[in-house]
């Protein structure tokens, strides 16, 4: 859990594109991006079709995760490099997912697609087919995943970090502004949550700020790192980004991603809600 | 419901109830060799929406036609458009029911 073991640069990826031990995986919110062009030798996972259960709202089962990685040619000893659009939101979600199922060596491309594009690095259209493997996942690690009851119990006692934009936190918007503002949930946030938008941790090109700056962002906003921390957003992707910052870059052990997030909490009957800044 | 297909700049509003949404949309165009925008769409430029306090609210890449769209709230917003070697900022006032249409030149 450190920058050295969790994050790679564009130069590193460029040098390892043909490294047989490395599997590059693109995960996007806009799933048409991969088809338009991607890093050479990268495969893609679809955030919904591949990573959502499809029947109930949950992660895919251990067996389905094993099948997905096996058919994708990922081995237990592969170095998996994740990247994607929208400042790596869905790539960090996939990173968290790999950690939930215990993958040993998974890393994120700093800045994702955006920085790669801004650096004018090449994309290709060719789709690589990898030789299938027999991947064996571990049981889910629930020490990095929060469920709704522990979120409710954390109100007023533990750190709850709402990483959405200030407009969503206050209740002005119901979703990120690239999506229609027609959501089933009520608007607002979990009482006692601190609004530390995910974007505070990133530079404008999508790369992460320095460890010193990152720590100051959370501690300066009143997060007591000695206490357990739960991060949430709307559907668990942006909070995976902030979870990555705290847990992987800063090495804070007791941090969970609440992937149920506001779409679950904002639909619960009778739980407390706060509005305003 | 708006039904006509042609929209200046941004993507078509067909099928979107603009009366209930506060839309900011437009097209990003590249400059030619002479530095003057020549109408070529800038696909995969990154368009970032900042709120009145400069806080990130959303970001998306333009489509192959150079177009983008946000569903915001009424008020003053700032767009930051980035592409290799280019960065443009533009302020926009958004209102419910009246889509703000922008043409941004890189």
């Amino acid at each position: 859990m450190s920058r050295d073991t969790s994050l790679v640069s564009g130069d590193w990826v460029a040098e390892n594109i043909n490294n047989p031990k490395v599997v590059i995986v693109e995960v996007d919110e806009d799933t048409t991006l991969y088809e338009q062009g991607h890093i050479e030798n990268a495969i893609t996972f679809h955030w919904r079709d591949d990573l959502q259960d499809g029947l109930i709202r949950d992660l895919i089962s251990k067996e389905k995760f094993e099948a997905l990685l096996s058919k994708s040619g990922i081995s237990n000893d592969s170095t998996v490099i994740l990247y994607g659009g929208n400042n790596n939101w869905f790539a960090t979600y996939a990173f968290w997912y790999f950690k939930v199922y215990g993958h040993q060596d998974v890393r994120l491309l700093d800045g994702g697609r955006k920085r790669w594009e801004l650096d004018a690095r090449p994309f290709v259209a060719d789709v690589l087919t990898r030789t299938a493997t027999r991947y064996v996942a571990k049981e889910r690690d629930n020490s990095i995943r929060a469920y709704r009851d522990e979120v409710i119990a954390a109100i007023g006692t533990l750190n709850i970090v709402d990483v959405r934009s200030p407009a969503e936190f206050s209740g002005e918007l119901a979703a990120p502004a690239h999506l229609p503002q027609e959501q089933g949930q009520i608007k607002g946030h979990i009482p006692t949550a601190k609004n530390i938008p995910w974007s505070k941790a990133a530079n404008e090109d999508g790369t992460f700020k320095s460890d010193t700056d990152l720590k100051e962002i959370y501690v300066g906003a009143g997060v007591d790192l000695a206490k357990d921390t739960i991060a949430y957003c709307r559907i668990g992707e942006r909070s995976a980004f902030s979870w990555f910052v705290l847990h992987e870059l800063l090495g804070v052990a007791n941090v969970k991603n609440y992937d149920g997030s506001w779409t679950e909490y904002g639909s619960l009957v009778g739980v407390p809600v706060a509005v305003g800044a | 419901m708006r039904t006509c297909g042609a929209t200046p700049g941004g993507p078509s509003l067909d099928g979107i109830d603009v009366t209930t949404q506060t839309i900011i949309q437009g097209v990003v165009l590249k400059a030619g060799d002479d530095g003057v925008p020549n109408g070529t769409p800038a696909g995969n430029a990154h368009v970032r929406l900042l709120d009145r306090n400069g806080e990130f609210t959303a970001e998306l890449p333009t489509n192959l036609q150079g177009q983008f769209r946000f569903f915001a709230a009424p008020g003053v917003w700032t767009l930051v458009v980035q592409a290799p070697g280019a960065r443009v900022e533009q302020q926009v006032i958004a209102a419910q029911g009246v889509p703000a249409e922008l043409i941004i030149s890189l």
Side-chain angles (χ1 to χ4, degrees), chain B:
Chain B
M1 185 82 71
R2 183 167 174 155
T3 53
C4 58
T7 302
S12 167
L13 289 161
D14 284 357
I16 295 174
D17 183 358
V18 300
T19 61
T20 64
Q21 301 285 333
T22 302
I23 294 170
I24 300 169
Q25 64 173 28
V27 63
V28 182
L29 302 177
K30 287 181 188 170
D33 293 339
D34 54 2
V36 177
N38 59 9
T40 307
N44 283 337
H46 296 269
V47 187
R48 178 172 280 215
L49 183 71
L50 308 178
D51 71 13
R52 58 189 169 276
N53 299 314
E55 291 287 348
F56 178 101
T57 305
E59 180 175 307
L60 43 74
T62 52
N63 63 17
L64 294 175
Q65 287 74 46
Q67 298 168 320
F68 64 90
R69 174 186 290 148
F70 293 110
F71 298 90
V76 178
W77 300 85
T78 300
L79 294 172
V80 178
V81 183
Q82 286 179 279
R87 184 185 185 282
V88 173
E89 261 190 56
Q90 186 163 332
Q91 223 176 47
V92 57
I93 296 172
Q96 185 174 329
V98 185
E101 290 278 359
L102 300 167
I103 298 174
I104 295 172
S105 302
L106 288 179

Side-chain angles (χ1 to χ4, degrees), chain A residues 210-229:
Chain A
S210 71
D211 288 354
T212 307
D213 287 349
L214 292 175
K215 194 165 186 182
E216 175 55 29
I217 287 164
Y218 294 95
V219 174
V223 175
D224 178 359
L225 295 179
K227 286 184 181 177
D228 293 355
T229 299

Side-chain angles (χ1 to χ4, degrees), chain A:
Chain A
M1 293 193 295
S2 75
R3 192 173 284 254
D4 291 342
T5 55
S6 304
L7 199 62
V8 295
S9 66
D11 283 346
W12 191 96
V13 170
E15 288 163 12
N16 285 277
I17 277 178
N18 293 306
N19 182 340
K21 197 171 179 301
V22 171
V23 184
I24 306 170
V25 185
E26 176 165 341
V27 188
D28 293 311
E29 179 178 22
D30 176 356
T31 55
T32 66
L33 290 178
Y34 176 83
E35 295 162 19
Q36 292 174 29
H38 49 264
I39 295 176
E40 186 182 356
N41 289 347
I43 59 171
T44 186
F45 287 168
H46 192 293
W47 69 269
R48 186 186 59 233
D49 297 350
D50 290 326
L51 297 177
Q52 301 293 318
D53 179 85
L55 178 60
I56 62 170
R57 184 179 172 193
D58 201 354
L59 309 181
I60 57 174
S61 66
K62 175 174 174 284
E63 291 71 25
K64 284 184 179 172
F65 187 76
E66 289 173 335
L68 172 66
L69 269 59
S70 296
K71 78 170 184 183
S72 304
I74 297 174
S75 304
N76 285 76
D77 63 353
S78 293
T79 296
V80 175
I81 305 297
L82 293 161
Y83 78 101
N86 223 338
N87 298 281
N88 271 335
W89 286 1
F90 284 63
T92 45
Y93 176 73
F95 182 104
W96 171 77
Y97 215 116
F98 271 77
K99 286 295 185 187
V100 166
Y101 278 121
H103 190 77
Q104 190 63 35
D105 190 359
V106 54
R107 310 179 197 188
L108 191 71
L109 168 59
D110 200 11
R113 269 188 80 101
K114 183 179 180 182
R115 178 59 193 263
W116 189 269
E117 286 177 2
L118 292 177
D119 285 344
R121 295 182 190 271
F123 283 135
V124 301
D126 297 342
V127 175
L128 178 75
T129 304
R130 301 183 59 85
T131 306
T133 59
R134 282 196 64 186
Y135 189 90
V136 180
K138 294 183 178 166
E139 295 298 327
R140 283 184 191 173
D141 178 2
N142 282 325
S143 73
I144 57 172
R145 189 185 195 200
Y147 294 84
R148 62 176 179 271
D149 289 345
E150 58 188 301
V151 172
I152 294 167
I155 294 172
T157 57
L158 303 180
N159 302 311
I160 303 176
V161 179
D162 185 322
V163 315
R164 298 174 298 166
S165 64
E168 292 170 85
F169 180 83
S170 67
E172 189 179 6
L173 293 180
H178 63 289
L179 301 173
Q181 299 298 314
E182 293 162 350
Q183 305 290 326
Q185 303 79 42
I186 55 163
K187 295 177 184 175
H189 59 264
I190 300 172
T192 74
K194 296 193 164 52
N195 185 208
I196 309 172
W198 70 273
S199 55
K200 296 276 189 200
N203 298 307
E204 197 173 71
D205 65 359
T207 57
F208 292 101
K209 291 180 178 171
S210 71
D211 288 354
T212 307
D213 287 349
L214 292 175
K215 194 165 186 182
E216 175 55 29
I217 287 164
Y218 294 95
V219 174
V223 175
D224 178 359
L225 295 179
K227 286 184 181 177
D228 293 355
T229 299
I230 296 171
Y232 78 95
C233 58
R234 187 179 70 101
I235 56 173
E237 268 81 9
R238 284 173 288 176
S239 49
F241 184 100
S242 297
W243 171 86
F244 179 88
V245 171
L246 288 163
H247 195 267
E248 298 296 314
L249 297 183
L250 296 180
V252 181
N254 46 347
V255 184
K256 293 185 175 189
N257 180 25
Y258 172 37
D259 60 306
S261 271
W262 191 253
T263 50
E264 178 177 62
Y265 192 93
S267 302
L268 295 175
V269 175
V271 295
V273 168
V275 293

